[in-house]
PDB file of all heavy atoms in Angstrom:
ATOM      1  N   GLY A 111     -41.482   6.350   0.048  1.00 91.00           N
ATOM      2  CA  GLY A 111     -40.841   6.099  -1.232  1.00 91.00           C
ATOM      3  C   GLY A 111     -41.686   6.455  -2.437  1.00 91.00           C
ATOM      4  O   GLY A 111     -42.912   6.534  -2.371  1.00 91.00           O
ATOM      5  N   THR A 112     -41.006   6.681  -3.543  1.00 92.00           N
ATOM      6  CA  THR A 112     -41.643   6.950  -4.834  1.00 92.00           C
ATOM      7  C   THR A 112     -41.103   5.940  -5.851  1.00 92.00           C
ATOM      8  O   THR A 112     -40.114   5.242  -5.597  1.00 92.00           O
ATOM      9  CB  THR A 112     -41.322   8.369  -5.326  1.00 92.00           C
ATOM     10  OG1 THR A 112     -39.894   8.480  -5.524  1.00 92.00           O
ATOM     11  CG2 THR A 112     -41.771   9.418  -4.307  1.00 92.00           C
ATOM     12  N   ARG A 113     -41.748   5.873  -7.003  1.00 93.00           N
ATOM     13  CA  ARG A 113     -41.279   4.955  -8.039  1.00 93.00           C
ATOM     14  C   ARG A 113     -39.838   5.269  -8.399  1.00 93.00           C
ATOM     15  O   ARG A 113     -39.026   4.347  -8.598  1.00 93.00           O
ATOM     16  CB  ARG A 113     -42.166   5.077  -9.278  1.00 93.00           C
ATOM     17  CG  ARG A 113     -41.688   4.193 -10.432  1.00 93.00           C
ATOM     18  CD  ARG A 113     -42.493   4.426 -11.684  1.00 93.00           C
ATOM     19  NE  ARG A 113     -43.897   4.091 -11.509  1.00 93.00           N
ATOM     20  CZ  ARG A 113     -44.821   4.239 -12.438  1.00 93.00           C
ATOM     21  NH1 ARG A 113     -44.479   4.744 -13.621  1.00 93.00           N
ATOM     22  NH2 ARG A 113     -46.085   3.908 -12.207  1.00 93.00           N
ATOM     23  N   GLU A 114     -39.508   6.566  -8.481  1.00 96.00           N
ATOM     24  CA  GLU A 114     -38.150   6.946  -8.860  1.00 96.00           C
ATOM     25  C   GLU A 114     -37.128   6.467  -7.831  1.00 96.00           C
ATOM     26  O   GLU A 114     -36.038   6.007  -8.194  1.00 96.00           O
ATOM     27  CB  GLU A 114     -38.057   8.465  -9.032  1.00 96.00           C
ATOM     28  CG  GLU A 114     -38.799   9.022 -10.241  1.00 96.00           C
ATOM     29  CD  GLU A 114     -40.317   9.025 -10.047  1.00 96.00           C
ATOM     30  OE1 GLU A 114     -40.767   8.978  -8.871  1.00 96.00           O
ATOM     31  OE2 GLU A 114     -41.042   9.070 -11.068  1.00 96.00           O
ATOM     32  N   ARG A 115     -37.464   6.579  -6.557  1.00 95.00           N
ATOM     33  CA  ARG A 115     -36.532   6.144  -5.514  1.00 95.00           C
ATOM     34  C   ARG A 115     -36.372   4.628  -5.524  1.00 95.00           C
ATOM     35  O   ARG A 115     -35.282   4.101  -5.316  1.00 95.00           O
ATOM     36  CB  ARG A 115     -37.000   6.613  -4.135  1.00 95.00           C
ATOM     37  CG  ARG A 115     -37.081   8.124  -3.962  1.00 95.00           C
ATOM     38  CD  ARG A 115     -35.747   8.808  -4.201  1.00 95.00           C
ATOM     39  NE  ARG A 115     -34.714   8.416  -3.255  1.00 95.00           N
ATOM     40  CZ  ARG A 115     -34.510   9.012  -2.070  1.00 95.00           C
ATOM     41  NH1 ARG A 115     -35.303  10.020  -1.685  1.00 95.00           N
ATOM     42  NH2 ARG A 115     -33.532   8.628  -1.278  1.00 95.00           N
ATOM     43  N   PHE A 116     -37.466   3.925  -5.797  1.00 97.00           N
ATOM     44  CA  PHE A 116     -37.367   2.467  -5.877  1.00 97.00           C
ATOM     45  C   PHE A 116     -36.596   2.035  -7.125  1.00 97.00           C
ATOM     46  O   PHE A 116     -35.976   0.966  -7.141  1.00 97.00           O
ATOM     47  CB  PHE A 116     -38.759   1.835  -5.855  1.00 97.00           C
ATOM     48  CG  PHE A 116     -39.494   2.029  -4.548  1.00 97.00           C
ATOM     49  CD1 PHE A 116     -40.881   2.016  -4.509  1.00 97.00           C
ATOM     50  CD2 PHE A 116     -38.805   2.232  -3.359  1.00 97.00           C
ATOM     51  CE1 PHE A 116     -41.571   2.191  -3.320  1.00 97.00           C
ATOM     52  CE2 PHE A 116     -39.483   2.408  -2.156  1.00 97.00           C
ATOM     53  CZ  PHE A 116     -40.869   2.388  -2.134  1.00 97.00           C
ATOM     54  N   ASP A 117     -36.627   2.890  -8.166  1.00 97.00           N
ATOM     55  CA  ASP A 117     -35.835   2.594  -9.359  1.00 97.00           C
ATOM     56  C   ASP A 117     -34.338   2.593  -9.036  1.00 97.00           C
ATOM     57  O   ASP A 117     -33.562   1.865  -9.663  1.00 97.00           O
ATOM     58  CB  ASP A 117     -36.120   3.621 -10.462  1.00 97.00           C
ATOM     59  CG  ASP A 117     -37.476   3.402 -11.123  1.00 97.00           C
ATOM     60  OD1 ASP A 117     -38.067   2.313 -10.933  1.00 97.00           O
ATOM     61  OD2 ASP A 117     -37.943   4.321 -11.822  1.00 97.00           O
ATOM     62  N   VAL A 118     -33.931   3.426  -8.078  1.00 97.00           N
ATOM     63  CA  VAL A 118     -32.529   3.446  -7.645  1.00 97.00           C
ATOM     64  C   VAL A 118     -32.160   2.095  -7.038  1.00 97.00           C
ATOM     65  O   VAL A 118     -31.087   1.542  -7.305  1.00 97.00           O
ATOM     66  CB  VAL A 118     -32.287   4.583  -6.629  1.00 97.00           C
ATOM     67  CG1 VAL A 118     -30.869   4.502  -6.059  1.00 97.00           C
ATOM     68  CG2 VAL A 118     -32.512   5.939  -7.275  1.00 97.00           C
ATOM     69  N   LEU A 119     -33.061   1.545  -6.240  1.00 98.00           N
ATOM     70  CA  LEU A 119     -32.831   0.224  -5.664  1.00 98.00           C
ATOM     71  C   LEU A 119     -32.795  -0.845  -6.757  1.00 98.00           C
ATOM     72  O   LEU A 119     -32.010  -1.800  -6.684  1.00 98.00           O
ATOM     73  CB  LEU A 119     -33.917  -0.111  -4.644  1.00 98.00           C
ATOM     74  CG  LEU A 119     -33.967   0.755  -3.380  1.00 98.00           C
ATOM     75  CD1 LEU A 119     -35.155   0.341  -2.505  1.00 98.00           C
ATOM     76  CD2 LEU A 119     -32.665   0.631  -2.582  1.00 98.00           C
ATOM     77  N   GLU A 120     -33.643  -0.678  -7.768  1.00 98.00           N
ATOM     78  CA  GLU A 120     -33.667  -1.633  -8.881  1.00 98.00           C
ATOM     79  C   GLU A 120     -32.329  -1.630  -9.620  1.00 98.00           C
ATOM     80  O   GLU A 120     -31.798  -2.698  -9.996  1.00 98.00           O
ATOM     81  CB  GLU A 120     -34.787  -1.268  -9.851  1.00 98.00           C
ATOM     82  CG  GLU A 120     -35.090  -2.324 -10.893  1.00 98.00           C
ATOM     83  CD  GLU A 120     -35.942  -3.461 -10.333  1.00 98.00           C
ATOM     84  OE1 GLU A 120     -37.047  -3.199  -9.832  1.00 98.00           O
ATOM     85  OE2 GLU A 120     -35.467  -4.614 -10.412  1.00 98.00           O
ATOM     86  N   ALA A 121     -31.773  -0.432  -9.843  1.00 98.00           N
ATOM     87  CA  ALA A 121     -30.480  -0.330 -10.514  1.00 98.00           C
ATOM     88  C   ALA A 121     -29.384  -0.983  -9.668  1.00 98.00           C
ATOM     89  O   ALA A 121     -28.495  -1.664 -10.193  1.00 98.00           O
ATOM     90  CB  ALA A 121     -30.140   1.134 -10.782  1.00 98.00           C
ATOM     91  N   ASN A 122     -29.462  -0.771  -8.373  1.00 98.00           N
ATOM     92  CA  ASN A 122     -28.491  -1.392  -7.468  1.00 98.00           C
ATOM     93  C   ASN A 122     -28.591  -2.919  -7.548  1.00 98.00           C
ATOM     94  O   ASN A 122     -27.571  -3.618  -7.594  1.00 98.00           O
ATOM     95  CB  ASN A 122     -28.731  -0.922  -6.032  1.00 98.00           C
ATOM     96  CG  ASN A 122     -27.863  -1.637  -5.015  1.00 98.00           C
ATOM     97  OD1 ASN A 122     -28.122  -2.774  -4.650  1.00 98.00           O
ATOM     98  ND2 ASN A 122     -26.835  -0.959  -4.520  1.00 98.00           N
ATOM     99  N   LEU A 123     -29.832  -3.422  -7.596  1.00 98.00           N
ATOM    100  CA  LEU A 123     -30.039  -4.867  -7.666  1.00 98.00           C
ATOM    101  C   LEU A 123     -29.441  -5.443  -8.941  1.00 98.00           C
ATOM    102  O   LEU A 123     -28.824  -6.516  -8.929  1.00 98.00           O
ATOM    103  CB  LEU A 123     -31.537  -5.174  -7.582  1.00 98.00           C
ATOM    104  CG  LEU A 123     -31.929  -6.653  -7.528  1.00 98.00           C
ATOM    105  CD1 LEU A 123     -31.346  -7.324  -6.290  1.00 98.00           C
ATOM    106  CD2 LEU A 123     -33.455  -6.782  -7.519  1.00 98.00           C
ATOM    107  N   GLY A 124     -29.602  -4.725 -10.039  1.00 98.00           N
ATOM    108  CA  GLY A 124     -29.006  -5.184 -11.292  1.00 98.00           C
ATOM    109  C   GLY A 124     -27.492  -5.244 -11.214  1.00 98.00           C
ATOM    110  O   GLY A 124     -26.862  -6.197 -11.685  1.00 98.00           O
ATOM    111  N   ALA A 125     -26.894  -4.217 -10.608  1.00 98.00           N
ATOM    112  CA  ALA A 125     -25.437  -4.201 -10.446  1.00 98.00           C
ATOM    113  C   ALA A 125     -24.988  -5.304  -9.500  1.00 98.00           C
ATOM    114  O   ALA A 125     -23.926  -5.916  -9.684  1.00 98.00           O
ATOM    115  CB  ALA A 125     -24.987  -2.840  -9.928  1.00 98.00           C
ATOM    116  N   LEU A 126     -25.804  -5.590  -8.477  1.00 98.00           N
ATOM    117  CA  LEU A 126     -25.486  -6.648  -7.526  1.00 98.00           C
ATOM    118  C   LEU A 126     -25.479  -8.009  -8.231  1.00 98.00           C
ATOM    119  O   LEU A 126     -24.598  -8.841  -7.996  1.00 98.00           O
ATOM    120  CB  LEU A 126     -26.502  -6.641  -6.380  1.00 98.00           C
ATOM    121  CG  LEU A 126     -26.164  -7.470  -5.139  1.00 98.00           C
ATOM    122  CD1 LEU A 126     -25.013  -6.844  -4.360  1.00 98.00           C
ATOM    123  CD2 LEU A 126     -27.388  -7.610  -4.229  1.00 98.00           C
ATOM    124  N   GLU A 127     -26.460  -8.233  -9.097  1.00 98.00           N
ATOM    125  CA  GLU A 127     -26.522  -9.482  -9.864  1.00 98.00           C
ATOM    126  C   GLU A 127     -25.284  -9.634 -10.746  1.00 98.00           C
ATOM    127  O   GLU A 127     -24.714 -10.727 -10.854  1.00 98.00           O
ATOM    128  CB  GLU A 127     -27.783  -9.499 -10.719  1.00 98.00           C
ATOM    129  CG  GLU A 127     -29.071  -9.672  -9.932  1.00 98.00           C
ATOM    130  CD  GLU A 127     -30.299  -9.599 -10.816  1.00 98.00           C
ATOM    131  OE1 GLU A 127     -30.343  -8.724 -11.702  1.00 98.00           O
ATOM    132  OE2 GLU A 127     -31.208 -10.420 -10.615  1.00 98.00           O
ATOM    133  N   ALA A 128     -24.876  -8.529 -11.377  1.00 98.00           N
ATOM    134  CA  ALA A 128     -23.698  -8.574 -12.240  1.00 98.00           C
ATOM    135  C   ALA A 128     -22.444  -8.894 -11.431  1.00 98.00           C
ATOM    136  O   ALA A 128     -21.588  -9.681 -11.869  1.00 98.00           O
ATOM    137  CB  ALA A 128     -23.533  -7.240 -12.979  1.00 98.00           C
ATOM    138  N   ALA A 129     -22.319  -8.295 -10.261  1.00 98.00           N
ATOM    139  CA  ALA A 129     -21.164  -8.562  -9.402  1.00 98.00           C
ATOM    140  C   ALA A 129     -21.162 -10.016  -8.941  1.00 98.00           C
ATOM    141  O   ALA A 129     -20.097 -10.647  -8.833  1.00 98.00           O
ATOM    142  CB  ALA A 129     -21.173  -7.620  -8.196  1.00 98.00           C
ATOM    143  N   ALA A 130     -22.355 -10.570  -8.694  1.00 97.00           N
ATOM    144  CA  ALA A 130     -22.450 -11.975  -8.286  1.00 97.00           C
ATOM    145  C   ALA A 130     -21.998 -12.894  -9.423  1.00 97.00           C
ATOM    146  O   ALA A 130     -21.257 -13.859  -9.200  1.00 97.00           O
ATOM    147  CB  ALA A 130     -23.876 -12.301  -7.859  1.00 97.00           C
ATOM    148  N   ARG A 131     -22.434 -12.594 -10.628  1.00 97.00           N
ATOM    149  CA  ARG A 131     -22.038 -13.421 -11.783  1.00 97.00           C
ATOM    150  C   ARG A 131     -20.525 -13.377 -11.991  1.00 97.00           C
ATOM    151  O   ARG A 131     -19.904 -14.388 -12.355  1.00 97.00           O
ATOM    152  CB  ARG A 131     -22.763 -12.953 -13.045  1.00 97.00           C
ATOM    153  CG  ARG A 131     -24.244 -13.303 -13.084  1.00 97.00           C
ATOM    154  CD  ARG A 131     -24.807 -13.114 -14.481  1.00 97.00           C
ATOM    155  NE  ARG A 131     -24.698 -11.737 -14.937  1.00 97.00           N
ATOM    156  CZ  ARG A 131     -25.618 -10.797 -14.729  1.00 97.00           C
ATOM    157  NH1 ARG A 131     -26.738 -11.102 -14.076  1.00 97.00           N
ATOM    158  NH2 ARG A 131     -25.441  -9.568 -15.184  1.00 97.00           N
ATOM    159  N   ALA A 132     -19.942 -12.200 -11.748  1.00 97.00           N
ATOM    160  CA  ALA A 132     -18.498 -12.036 -11.933  1.00 97.00           C
ATOM    161  C   ALA A 132     -17.702 -12.515 -10.724  1.00 97.00           C
ATOM    162  O   ALA A 132     -16.470 -12.512 -10.766  1.00 97.00           O
ATOM    163  CB  ALA A 132     -18.184 -10.564 -12.202  1.00 97.00           C
ATOM    164  N   GLN A 133     -18.419 -12.923  -9.672  1.00 96.00           N
ATOM    165  CA  GLN A 133     -17.753 -13.340  -8.428  1.00 96.00           C
ATOM    166  C   GLN A 133     -16.833 -12.240  -7.894  1.00 96.00           C
ATOM    167  O   GLN A 133     -15.769 -12.523  -7.317  1.00 96.00           O
ATOM    168  CB  GLN A 133     -16.978 -14.636  -8.635  1.00 96.00           C
ATOM    169  CG  GLN A 133     -17.857 -15.866  -8.860  1.00 96.00           C
ATOM    170  CD  GLN A 133     -18.649 -16.239  -7.593  1.00 96.00           C
ATOM    171  OE1 GLN A 133     -18.081 -16.511  -6.547  1.00 96.00           O
ATOM    172  NE2 GLN A 133     -19.975 -16.238  -7.710  1.00 96.00           N
ATOM    173  N   ASN A 134     -17.258 -11.000  -8.076  1.00 97.00           N
ATOM    174  CA  ASN A 134     -16.502  -9.846  -7.572  1.00 97.00           C
ATOM    175  C   ASN A 134     -17.012  -9.545  -6.166  1.00 97.00           C
ATOM    176  O   ASN A 134     -17.919  -8.729  -5.976  1.00 97.00           O
ATOM    177  CB  ASN A 134     -16.693  -8.647  -8.503  1.00 97.00           C
ATOM    178  CG  ASN A 134     -15.801  -7.478  -8.134  1.00 97.00           C
ATOM    179  OD1 ASN A 134     -15.372  -7.334  -6.986  1.00 97.00           O
ATOM    180  ND2 ASN A 134     -15.533  -6.609  -9.094  1.00 97.00           N
ATOM    181  N   ARG A 135     -16.438 -10.217  -5.185  1.00 95.00           N
ATOM    182  CA  ARG A 135     -16.967 -10.124  -3.826  1.00 95.00           C
ATOM    183  C   ARG A 135     -16.766  -8.750  -3.179  1.00 95.00           C
ATOM    184  O   ARG A 135     -17.670  -8.277  -2.481  1.00 95.00           O
ATOM    185  CB  ARG A 135     -16.372 -11.237  -2.966  1.00 95.00           C
ATOM    186  CG  ARG A 135     -16.922 -12.619  -3.358  1.00 95.00           C
ATOM    187  CD  ARG A 135     -16.547 -13.685  -2.373  1.00 95.00           C
ATOM    188  NE  ARG A 135     -15.155 -14.043  -2.430  1.00 95.00           N
ATOM    189  CZ  ARG A 135     -14.651 -14.989  -3.211  1.00 95.00           C
ATOM    190  NH1 ARG A 135     -15.446 -15.680  -4.013  1.00 95.00           N
ATOM    191  NH2 ARG A 135     -13.361 -15.280  -3.195  1.00 95.00           N
ATOM    192  N   PRO A 136     -15.630  -8.074  -3.374  1.00 93.00           N
ATOM    193  CA  PRO A 136     -15.504  -6.728  -2.800  1.00 93.00           C
ATOM    194  C   PRO A 136     -16.574  -5.767  -3.333  1.00 93.00           C
ATOM    195  O   PRO A 136     -17.183  -5.007  -2.569  1.00 93.00           O
ATOM    196  CB  PRO A 136     -14.094  -6.299  -3.199  1.00 93.00           C
ATOM    197  CG  PRO A 136     -13.351  -7.574  -3.335  1.00 93.00           C
ATOM    198  CD  PRO A 136     -14.340  -8.540  -3.940  1.00 93.00           C
ATOM    199  N   LEU A 137     -16.796  -5.792  -4.654  1.00 96.00           N
ATOM    200  CA  LEU A 137     -17.824  -4.930  -5.236  1.00 96.00           C
ATOM    201  C   LEU A 137     -19.202  -5.368  -4.756  1.00 96.00           C
ATOM    202  O   LEU A 137     -20.067  -4.534  -4.474  1.00 96.00           O
ATOM    203  CB  LEU A 137     -17.761  -4.987  -6.765  1.00 96.00           C
ATOM    204  CG  LEU A 137     -18.833  -4.184  -7.514  1.00 96.00           C
ATOM    205  CD1 LEU A 137     -18.779  -2.704  -7.138  1.00 96.00           C
ATOM    206  CD2 LEU A 137     -18.690  -4.377  -9.019  1.00 96.00           C
ATOM    207  N   PHE A 138     -19.420  -6.665  -4.666  1.00 97.00           N
ATOM    208  CA  PHE A 138     -20.705  -7.183  -4.195  1.00 97.00           C
ATOM    209  C   PHE A 138     -21.005  -6.652  -2.798  1.00 97.00           C
ATOM    210  O   PHE A 138     -22.124  -6.186  -2.530  1.00 97.00           O
ATOM    211  CB  PHE A 138     -20.666  -8.712  -4.179  1.00 97.00           C
ATOM    212  CG  PHE A 138     -21.993  -9.349  -3.840  1.00 97.00           C
ATOM    213  CD1 PHE A 138     -22.878  -9.716  -4.846  1.00 97.00           C
ATOM    214  CD2 PHE A 138     -22.348  -9.582  -2.524  1.00 97.00           C
ATOM    215  CE1 PHE A 138     -24.108 -10.293  -4.540  1.00 97.00           C
ATOM    216  CE2 PHE A 138     -23.565 -10.161  -2.206  1.00 97.00           C
ATOM    217  CZ  PHE A 138     -24.444 -10.522  -3.207  1.00 97.00           C
TER     218      PHE A 138
END
Side-chain angles (χ1 to χ4, degrees):
T112 62
R113 177 185 298 178
E114 290 74 21
R115 298 301 297 272
F116 294 154
D117 286 345
V118 173
L119 295 177
E120 191 79 58
N122 174 283
L123 185 61
L126 193 70
E127 289 177 318
R131 288 194 299 271
Q133 291 292 301
N134 187 336
R135 289 190 288 271
L137 177 58
F138 186 93

